Amino acid sequence: MPDAPAPPLPAVTLEGIELRVLHVPLIAPFTTSFGTEEVREVIVVRAQTSDGEGWGEIVTQAAPLYSSEYTHGAWDVALRWMIPALLDRRTLTPSDVAQVLEPFVGHRMVKAGLELAILDASLRAAGTPLGAHLGAVRDRVPSGVSVGIQRDAHALVDTVGGYLDEGYVRIKIKIKPGRDVADTAAVRDAYGAIPFQVDANSAYTLADADTLAELDRFDLLLIEQPLQEDDIVDHATLARRLRTPVCLDESIVSAKAAADALALGSTSVINIKAGRVGGYLEAVRIHDLCRDAGIPVWCGGMLETGIGRAANAALAALPGFTLPGDVSAASRFYTRDIVTEPAVLEDGHVRVPTGPGLGIDIDPIALDEVTVTRETLRRS
Ligand code: NPG
């Protein structure tokens, strides 16, 4: 059944867009196969419109290790190309944003952050919550946690135990060559039949298929992105070798990429991250096509601040999100968030905000404290 189209949103008249680079300290270092982060470097967007403001988040990292995007590249392309194009257009609806930015190749995280700020401004002007606009059917979403690579398997078991005590309903651990089978076995042995999955962040090649097949005995929910972003055919080959469902993350950069990966049999579950696919509106298109194809999806995370975290909770409340996402409490990563009411874990769930737009209020003092650079472009 096709979804009912969301009611059209009011156009906003842009007066300016402010960008800030934030350095938000992490509670503990976060280690993946591609490196360790101690501070989350992220860009926050504030759209100033004649009807009020809207907030967005560009989820790039300092270095281009997860994807080709990174802070300074994002900053440059936003200020040099994308924001001027939006300001030139002056009056636009949220769905116009992708169309205005379409000529610029790639840089999807930047497009997503800019679109979210304009979406937030327009929704606030209309008095509509983001979840209601996207098609949310739940008022809270189950919360999974992503656990970085620890010093050793013993430390991993301890860390996972802490999150289970807090109430997280699904555990995901990061793996890489040499830290895979034994780490997975340690968690499975310690905690029995918990909902459990692993994330390789592209750390393997097809030559590792035998090692990855050893993970089959742990009854994982899925293995996420074992091979490189563009290894769509190799992922299909690997998927045929494994009993564990393969789930793509990095490879799914658009609804078209999702359709192609499904057609090739490269993936049987999809992690949807709005930043990676160019925005929440494209994320909904991927959700819709997966739902029509009977493919489960879940909402990934990019260590978002309270801005992106609120939007992810709204997205994860759509009906096709049948697996718990990386939609954790703010306290999973941060001692102090930049919003006045950071997301909290309640009985293993995170609430979907109900206020207009993102449904959050920025804490201006907290925001200023973590701002390292800011720049505003105004309509000339
Ligand atoms: O809960 O926000 C979260 C983090 C979830 O593991 C997580 N994200 O590869 O999916 C990933 C990873 C990531 C984070 C990737 C930041 C890139 C940047």
Side-chain angles (χ1 to χ4, degrees):
M1 261 249 302
D3 296 306
L9 284 173
V12 294
T13 300
L14 269 181
E15 288 170 351
I17 295 187
E18 179 191 61
L19 297 185
R20 296 172 180 235
V21 175
L22 311 186
H23 281 181
V24 194
L26 293 177
I27 281 178
F30 187 61
T31 300
T32 62
S33 60
F34 56 84
T36 297
E37 270 193 297
E38 291 182 8
V39 170
R40 177 69 171 123
E41 182 174 280
V42 67
I43 300 174
V44 158
V45 183
R46 179 160 64 109
Q48 299 155 312
T49 80
S50 49
D51 289 308
E53 59 187 24
W55 294 87
E57 178 166 347
I58 298 174
V59 293
T60 45
Q61 295 177 285
L65 300 175
Y66 165 83
S67 86
S68 61
E69 293 189 70
Y70 67 105
T71 309
H72 278 75
W75 185 261
D76 186 76
V77 80
L79 290 167
R80 192 185 299 271
W81 297 103
M82 294 191 185
I83 297 175
L86 294 171
L87 293 173
D88 261 5
R89 177 71 174 257
R90 288 184 129 180
T91 297
L92 74 182
T93 66
S95 49
D96 292 334
V97 175
Q99 185 210 327
V100 171
L101 301 181
E102 199 270 334
F104 306 115
V105 176
H107 297 285
R108 291 183 171 88
M109 294 179 191
V110 182
K111 292 174 179 174
L114 295 171
E115 182 189 81
L116 183 59
I118 289 165
L119 188 54
D120 183 34
S122 174
L123 286 164
R124 283 179 202 256
T128 306
L130 177 63
H133 179 69
L134 298 181
V137 293
R138 291 184 274 265
D139 56 10
R140 58 179 209 158
V141 296
S143 182
V145 65
S146 172
V147 184
I149 295 169
Q150 307 291 311
R151 195 179 57 250
D152 52 32
H154 195 73
L156 174 64
V157 167
D158 278 355
T159 305
V160 167
Y163 291 126
L164 290 172
D165 288 346
E166 283 184 57
Y168 285 102
V169 300
R170 183 228 67 198
I171 298 294
K172 148 172 153 180
I173 64 166
K174 297 288 187 178
I175 59 168
K176 66 177 183 180
R179 292 299 302 274
D180 38 38
V181 179
D183 277 15
T184 306
V187 172
R188 191 49 105 200
D189 288 351
Y191 301 113
I194 55 166
F196 181 28
Q197 64 195 52
V198 297
D199 182 5
N201 284 117
S202 308
Y204 296 89
T205 71
L206 257 193
D208 301 306
D210 288 342
T211 306
L212 296 174
E214 284 184 55
L215 298 173
D216 279 348
R217 68 175 191 269
F218 302 115
D219 283 320
L220 300 172
L221 290 169
L222 54 93
I223 176 169
E224 193 179 347
Q225 195 71 35
L227 313 178
Q228 295 290 303
E229 178 176 323
D230 55 3
D231 282 341
I232 294 296
V233 172
D234 282 357
H235 271 113
T237 307
L238 181 66
R240 287 192 293 272
R241 295 270 306 271
L242 304 183
R243 196 164 55 81
T244 309
V246 170
C247 168
L248 291 180
D249 170 8
E250 283 89 328
S251 299
I252 306 300
V253 295
S254 62
K256 175 71 166 64
D260 290 352
L262 291 175
L264 277 169
S266 317
T267 193
S268 51
V269 183
I270 289 182
N271 166 342
I272 301 184
K273 283 181 182 163
R276 197 190 62 231
V277 305
Y280 286 85
L281 302 181
E282 183 76 354
V284 171
R285 287 189 276 274
I286 298 177
H287 161 273
D288 293 351
L289 82 86
C290 287
R291 198 157 66 121
D292 291 347
I295 295 292
V297 302
W298 55 281
C299 182
M302 296 283 288
L303 278 68
E304 283 85 354
T305 70
I307 296 172
R309 209 164 279 279
N312 286 348
L315 179 67
L318 269 64
F321 285 82
T322 53
L323 291 169
D326 288 340
V327 188
S328 49
S331 63
R332 155 70 185 91
F333 292 110
Y334 303 116
T335 43
R336 188 171 183 195
D337 201 343
I338 58 166
V339 295
T340 55
E341 289 181 49
V344 293
L345 199 63
E346 294 170 349
D347 186 25
H349 290 68
V350 167
R351 257 182 225 275
V352 180
T354 51
L358 289 167
I360 44 122
D361 290 311
I362 297 292
D363 175 341
I365 296 167
L367 178 64
D368 281 350
E369 255 172 32
V370 291
T371 299
V372 293
T373 319
R374 58 199 280 187
E375 194 159 329
T376 303
L377 291 187
R378 292 198 173 76
R379 207 172 73 198
S380 47

